[in-house]
Amino acid sequence: MDCLFCKIVSGEIPANRIYEDDDVIAFNDINPQAPTHALIIPRKHIATLNSADESDKSVLGALSLAAAKIAKEQGFDQAGYRTVMNCNEHGGQTVYHIHLHLLGGKAMGWPPYQNKLKTA
Ligand code: 5GP
Ligand code: ZN
């Protein structure tokens, strides 16, 4: 399968792994938007959140639990952090293997968009 993140899981494409367990791996984003910007991905290929099903419940939970562990390891769990999963075009998804962004190490604004809200 021609999937960038499957190639990172298999080791065909290198990535700086910061965490791994039976369900997920995490590595630093190539274009970081915060002092820590990690991507946590399932070992299993799931293209978007829309394609996840009941059998993926535990792996979806594993993504969030890994984020909390990494935040603790890196020492910003108490200060706080953000996790984000983008879905499809309006969500800003560019890699079609689901991934949870973990952003930490600085205070972030809310809401996350700068443009005026557009419908459609
Ligand atoms: P998305 O926009 O799909 O939510 O996020 C994709 C993320 O993957 C982006 O933040 C982008 O910088 C990151 N990314 C794209 N290609 C690579 C790569 O080859 N290696 C790493 N480490 N990150 C990547
Ligand atoms: Zn994949």
Side-chain angles (χ1 to χ4, degrees):
M1 191 187 299
D2 195 23
C3 168
L4 174 66
F5 286 176
C6 281
K7 287 179 181 162
I8 287 179
V9 171
S10 72
E12 192 184 326
I13 290 176
N16 170 19
R17 292 188 190 207
I18 58 169
Y19 175 84
E20 56 190 305
D21 63 29
D22 288 347
D23 294 315
V24 308
I25 71 167
F27 50 89
N28 291 319
D29 196 291
I30 206 168
N31 182 24
Q33 302 300 314
T36 292
H37 183 175
L39 300 174
I40 305 154
I41 73 173
R43 291 181 186 275
K44 176 189 173 184
H45 180 83
I46 302 170
T48 80
L49 190 54
N50 293 337
S51 30
D53 63 28
E54 287 291 311
S55 72
D56 297 317
K57 264 185 182 173
S58 101
V59 83
L60 291 174
L63 296 171
S64 290
L65 292 175
K69 283 182 198 162
I70 296 164
K72 191 168 186 190
E73 267 169 27
Q74 303 219 358
F76 56 75
D77 56 321
Q78 295 306 312
Y81 54 93
R82 182 168 296 167
T83 60
V84 181
M85 187 182 289
N86 298 323
C87 184
N88 278 344
E89 190 185 346
H90 280 192
Q93 186 173 6
T94 59
V95 178
Y96 282 80
H97 177 134
I98 59 168
H99 46 280
L100 192 65
H101 294 258
L102 168 64
L103 298 135
K106 71 170 187 184
M108 281 162 279
W110 190 265
Y113 49 81
Q114 268 108 41
N115 300 329
K116 287 216 170 91
L117 192 60
K118 282 188 228 155
T119 50

